Amino acid sequence: EAGVVQSPRYKIIEKKQPVAFWCNPISGHNTLYWYLQNLGQGPELLIRYENEEAVDDSQLPKDRFSAERLKGVDSTLKIQPAELGDSAVYLCASSLGGWRGSTGELFFGEGSRLTVL
Amino acid sequence: AQSVAQPEDQVNVAEGNPLTVKCTYSVSGNPYLFWYVQYPNRGLQFLLKYITGDNLVKGSYGFEAEFNKSQTSFHLKKPSALVSDSALYFCAVRDGVYGQNFVFGPGTRLSVLP
């Protein structure tokens, strides 16, 4: 079974440029997460989807960040315009979801490392 | 709201010795606790979880964790450390049976010295 797939793995851009990250979750996982991870720190939630609905986006900086999950499968996270402080790893994760009474863990992708110059 | 603390930024242990990585948590209701490991330039990999039942949970790669409700702790342990265990370890808590909010600790860097 394929795991969570993210692309690109690495991205280097100039500040003020746009950037987008893509995530394909594990098949059948209805809950999808985007996390921000700064170097040597724990992941911090940006947004959580249940199917195509964003149920928790309270930590997403909405002035420059946006996300979508069309058809409740793949998801895209966009930053426009990027700032120097956005340099970090953007992790996507998926899980079966709580409504099934799942005690399941999160499954993470390899992450997308963004460097803003 | 739930929270997780990992009091040690760094843990050093000699190969072959037992290791412990500490985690304490705060959550309303029953805790659902997880440990993840992260190798350089990789995503987080699931090691083990505590949902209910036996306080000693066994997981991948010979790791185990002990849930202690009175001390609100969930320490990760391994009887004999390997150099390949050197990585960043994260403790996480989930909010309840149907909750899907996971909160991660700041991480502990484990270095196993040959």
Side-chain angles (χ1 to χ4, degrees):
Chain A
E1 177 183 300
V4 177
V5 179
Q6 290 188 245
S7 68
R9 287 292 316 277
Y10 304 93
K11 188 73 175 181
I12 301 174
I13 60 173
E14 300 281 337
K15 63 180 180 181
K16 301 185 180 180
Q17 294 299 306
V19 63
F21 305 111
W22 174 81
C23 173
N24 178 247
I26 292 173
S27 178
H29 282 193
N30 60 308
T31 307
L32 183 146
Y33 306 73
W34 284 103
Y35 282 92
L36 167 71
Q37 185 179 27
N38 287 305
L39 186 65
Q41 297 183 25
E44 299 171 22
L45 180 69
L46 288 172
I47 189 167
R48 172 168 64 92
Y49 283 92
E50 296 286 347
N51 298 304
E52 65 274 10
E53 181 183 0
V55 296
D56 185 353
D57 63 355
S58 57
Q59 301 303 311
L60 190 72
K62 297 181 183 63
D63 56 336
R64 297 184 300 106
F65 286 66
S66 65
E68 61 182 11
R69 191 185 184 196
L70 300 176
K71 301 181 180 179
V73 182
D74 295 0
S75 178
T76 302
L77 177 70
K78 298 178 181 178
I79 308 174
Q80 183 172 9
E83 296 179 352
L84 295 177
D86 297 332
S87 296
V89 176
Y90 294 84
L91 294 166
C92 180
S94 70
S95 72
L96 278 174
W99 66 272
R100 297 183 187 180
S102 169
T103 59
E105 61 274 21
L106 297 181
F107 294 84
F108 282 86
E110 298 285 10
S112 294
R113 180 179 297 275
L114 174 65
T115 301
V116 182
L117 303 176
Chain B
Q2 66 265 40
S3 65
V4 175
Q6 293 181 243
E8 300 158 317
D9 292 336
Q10 173 94 31
V11 170
N12 297 320
V13 63
E15 186 175 29
N17 283 0
L19 69 88
T20 298
V21 182
K22 296 179 180 178
C23 170
T24 59
Y25 65 89
S26 174
V27 64
S28 56
N30 293 323
Y32 295 82
L33 299 159
F34 302 80
W35 275 103
Y36 286 82
V37 60
Q38 187 176 34
Y39 297 100
N41 298 315
R42 306 295 300 276
L44 278 68
Q45 297 177 34
F46 169 74
L47 279 178
L48 50 79
K49 64 185 176 185
Y50 172 83
I51 302 299
T52 187
D54 195 344
N55 289 344
L56 185 63
V57 178
K58 294 188 183 298
S60 306
Y61 312 120
F63 283 93
E64 58 190 26
E66 185 170 12
F67 170 66
N68 188 317
K69 188 173 184 177
S70 63
Q71 297 185 5
T72 62
S73 67
F74 189 55
H75 300 332
L76 181 70
K77 300 180 180 183
K78 188 173 182 181
S80 179
L82 300 173
V83 172
S84 57
D85 293 330
S86 298
L88 198 52
Y89 290 81
F90 294 99
C91 182
V93 62
R94 199 185 89 180
D95 60 341
V97 178
Y98 297 107
Q100 287 298 298
N101 289 324
F102 286 78
V103 173
F104 287 83
T108 297
R109 185 166 300 280
L110 173 67
S111 292
V112 181
L113 309 174

